[in-house]
Amino acid sequence: QVQLVESGGGLVQPGGSLRLSCVTPATIISRNHMGWYRQAPGKTRELVASFINGGGTNYADSVKGRFAILADTSENTVYLQMNNLKPEDTAIYYCNVYPSRDDYWGQGTQVTVSS
């Protein structure tokens, strides 16, 4: 059973920032592209950001310029820095490999953006 453990979510006001962390097994982060995904209430899960092993990042248009993904293989951790948060960013955030694998989904971390 592969465990990817997300943390760092919480309640933040619009315009605020959060940094999410995802601890992964060393073999996962070193051999795969990594991604952050989110699922808002009543919506399907979507890819927010991806980190391409060896370099390169991609972002959904809705978060471009506000979010940044980083995969630190020395810490076996994938980060998602989220700035200028908006109410529409409210969702459960998950990390997984990219493309995702069904057997790698963890519990996620809740992010709520509200005044």
Side-chain angles (χ1 to χ4, degrees):
Q1 178 78 26
V2 173
Q3 279 197 311
L4 283 74
V5 182
E6 303 94 343
S7 64
L11 173 64
V12 63
Q13 292 186 343
S17 298
L18 283 174
R19 189 179 77 158
L20 306 183
S21 300
C22 172
V23 178
T24 85
T27 54
I28 297 298
I29 194 172
S30 64
R31 298 175 183 176
N32 292 277
H33 310 314
M34 299 300 298
W36 278 97
Y37 303 76
R38 69 184 180 188
Q39 186 166 19
K43 296 188 176 182
T44 57
R45 189 149 40 193
E46 62 173 347
L47 175 68
V48 173
S50 57
F51 184 94
I52 306 304
N53 203 345
T57 56
N58 292 291
Y59 300 93
D61 287 343
S62 59
V63 307
K64 202 170 292 184
R66 300 188 297 122
F67 289 13
I69 185 172
L70 174 66
D72 188 333
T73 53
S74 68
E75 296 183 356
N76 298 329
T77 302
V78 185
Y79 299 99
L80 184 68
Q81 177 66 44
M82 306 187 296
N83 299 323
N84 190 21
L85 282 160
K86 304 176 180 181
E88 51 264 43
D89 295 319
T90 295
I92 301 176
Y93 284 72
Y94 304 86
C95 73
N96 201 317
V97 297
Y98 172 71
S100 64
R101 285 185 51 151
D102 288 344
D103 54 341
Y104 285 5
W105 293 115
Q107 296 297 311
T109 185
Q110 175 71 49
V111 171
T112 302
V113 184
S114 175
S115 54

